[in-house]
Amino acid sequence: MRENPKTLLYILALASLGINTPLSIVGIISQISAHFNTTIAISGLYVSSFTFTIAVCGLFIPIIFSRYERKKTFLSILTVFAISNFVIIFSDNLYLSLFFRVFSAVFYPSFISIALTVCEEIAPEGEKQDYITKILLGISIGSIVGLPITTALGTIFNYEIAMLWIFLINLLSLILISLFFPRISGKAKSYEMPLSNLKSKEFMVASIAIIMMPIGASIVYNYMPYFLQTVSHILTYKLGILLFVYGIVSIMGTWIGGKLIVYKDKATLLIFQLVCGSVFLLMYLFAQYLIPILILFMIFGVLDGMGYNLIQYVESSVLSDTPELANGVFLSILNGGIAIGTAIGGFLVNDFGVMSIFIGGVAFLILAFILLYYVIFGLKISLKYS
């Protein structure tokens, strides 16, 4: 391949950022409600429809697309995103907008899964994890840094302007891949789902173990703004700045996670659960003290960013023979865990108060630690860098 691998990597990272930005509209639920003249609850379902769709489709859609030429696949999916977001900008019909939001989400797992596979294929020897990490950084930036940008545009201007920037970044990605990306043939020879891999004890236990991570993290993360407002009394623009800084340190965490996995994968997987659980416990104990809470929140940001790498690493190790499937399962577990954690967190806040989110987060991370310990030392799964 004559093209510079790093150039292709950064184009894919930008495209991954672009198709992840639809997740960032969680910050403008009230504007969505006003735009469609509906309730906050319905607007919340509209927002979460993207995540739920990814969680379901990640299990099989990447396998279907894995046989096709890569550039055509990327262009087709980005075209779907661009058209869908363009329609949403000008539509005030909730059902039409919901259709296009869900329709684009169906293809999301294929793009990210194949992007991760391609970046590993083009990476120079010894740099595979670095290339994977940069795609994960694109995902992280799209959802986390995209949140304050989308929120600012939605609150200062309106919902349509917020969606316009999402459309424009999709369009930019489409143009860059069209102009600079080479043709790369697909790998799979059939549409068959490798069910034998999914039935293995190692896969099932490892998947249960790592889905506990995004569940535990989401219980806390999705209700931290509410905690910071009601307990720490951080309001208005100060909260927005704090969330933006959180996003920056989370991006750093994704980079750190990639380095630690290569250096000490088993220790990183296990110590992560203990450290993150300890941070949640300290948040519970020091809830009334602003400075400790802010420090702990930033540490959680680093750990939250690391989680992307850890989940992807475990799945790609367990399903090493089918990388597209491994990356699709990674997306399903990540987004399914976020959806489940958000639902559990809402139940805890409603019934036991906002402080209960920290106990819920700790409980799921303890489960993750126990199961991962069993997977690593009991089942002795083969990890890529061990």
Side-chain angles (χ1 to χ4, degrees):
M1 182 182 297
R2 291 179 297 175
E3 289 79 4
N4 187 332
K6 284 198 176 293
T7 300
L8 304 185
L9 169 65
Y10 289 122
I11 291 173
L12 285 178
L14 176 64
S16 299
L17 183 158
I19 71 166
N20 218 55
T21 47
L23 290 167
S24 65
I25 67 170
V26 67
I28 55 169
I29 286 180
S30 59
Q31 285 76 24
I32 293 170
S33 179
H35 179 78
F36 292 117
N37 191 27
T38 189
T39 65
I40 293 294
I42 296 298
S43 298
L45 290 174
Y46 173 79
V47 170
S48 63
S49 64
F50 196 84
T51 304
F52 280 111
T53 304
I54 294 170
V56 173
C57 294
L59 294 173
F60 61 92
I61 292 294
I63 291 294
I64 295 175
F65 279 87
S66 64
R67 68 178 299 180
Y68 296 114
E69 194 272 316
R70 307 307 199 187
K71 181 174 182 176
K72 288 182 179 178
T73 298
F74 289 145
L75 290 176
S76 299
I77 294 173
L78 286 170
T79 299
V80 168
F81 268 79
I83 292 173
S84 296
N85 288 314
F86 185 78
V87 171
I88 289 171
I89 291 171
F90 298 101
S91 173
D92 58 2
N93 184 295
L94 175 65
Y95 299 106
L96 180 63
S97 297
L98 178 62
F99 169 80
F100 278 100
R101 183 165 172 80
V102 170
F103 182 64
S104 59
V106 168
F107 301 97
Y108 173 100
S110 292
F111 189 97
I112 298 297
S113 173
I114 295 172
L116 287 166
T117 302
V118 168
C119 79
E120 194 169 4
E121 291 170 354
I122 66 175
E125 193 62 35
E127 296 184 40
K128 292 185 183 296
Q129 190 60 43
D130 285 340
Y131 273 52
I132 289 171
T133 297
K134 286 183 172 65
I135 298 297
L136 297 177
L137 281 171
I139 299 171
S140 178
I141 294 170
S143 57
I144 296 174
V145 176
L147 175 61
I149 296 174
T150 304
T151 302
L153 291 172
T155 52
I156 295 172
F157 299 102
N158 53 40
Y159 170 72
E160 291 94 332
I161 296 298
M163 291 305 303
L164 177 62
W165 107 270
I166 293 174
F167 162 74
L168 290 175
I169 198 165
N170 290 155
L171 184 62
L172 175 61
S173 303
L174 178 63
I175 293 170
L176 288 175
I177 287 184
S178 176
L179 293 177
F180 301 111
F181 211 83
R183 292 175 58 85
I184 302 175
S185 60
K187 300 298 180 184
K189 298 183 183 302
S190 72
Y191 293 105
E192 293 179 6
M193 175 73 78
L195 294 176
S196 58
N197 293 338
L198 301 182
K199 291 178 181 178
S200 71
K201 183 178 181 180
E202 291 79 5
F203 167 78
M204 290 189 287
V205 178
S207 296
I208 293 171
I210 58 176
I211 199 173
M212 298 298 167
M213 293 165 54
I215 290 175
S218 294
I219 288 173
V220 176
Y221 172 73
N222 284 292
Y223 297 94
M224 273 304 293
Y226 182 66
F227 166 83
L228 293 170
Q229 289 173 322
T230 57
V231 178
S232 301
H233 305 294
I234 299 175
L235 305 172
T236 60
Y237 72 93
K238 294 180 181 178
L239 180 60
I241 293 172
L242 184 60
L243 292 174
F244 182 78
V245 175
Y246 176 95
I248 298 299
V249 299
S250 179
I251 293 167
M252 292 171 52
T254 303
W255 179 81
I256 292 169
K259 297 296 183 183
L260 289 176
I261 283 173
V262 176
Y263 179 64
K264 289 284 185 181
D265 53 1
K266 293 177 182 177
T268 300
L269 285 166
L270 294 174
I271 293 173
F272 173 90
Q273 321 304 326
L274 300 178
V275 173
C276 195
S278 298
V279 168
F280 291 167
L281 185 59
L282 289 171
M283 283 182 168
Y284 181 84
L285 296 174
F286 291 95
Q288 301 300 325
Y289 301 94
L290 180 60
I291 299 302
I293 282 295
L294 294 180
I295 294 172
L296 290 166
F297 187 48
M298 291 302 114
I299 295 173
F300 174 43
V302 174
L303 295 168
D304 192 19
M306 287 177 61
Y308 286 89
N309 261 302
L310 303 187
I311 297 170
Q312 194 275 339
Y313 178 67
V314 171
E315 286 301 339
S316 63
S317 294
V318 176
L319 300 172
S320 58
D321 295 335
T322 51
E324 288 89 356
L325 176 62
N327 291 321
V329 172
F330 151 66
L331 293 170
S332 290
I333 285 176
L334 177 64
N335 288 279
I338 291 171
I340 294 169
T342 302
I344 293 173
F347 168 77
L348 291 174
V349 171
N350 283 334
D351 287 19
F352 303 102
V354 70
M355 294 300 296
S356 65
I357 61 174
F358 302 115
I359 303 303
V362 169
F364 278 95
L365 290 173
I366 290 173
L367 286 173
F369 174 83
I370 294 170
L371 290 169
L372 278 173
Y373 188 90
Y374 173 64
V375 166
I376 293 170
F377 296 107
L379 298 178
K380 300 185 186 303
I381 66 167
S382 177
L383 296 173
K384 286 197 295 186
Y385 301 126
S386 291

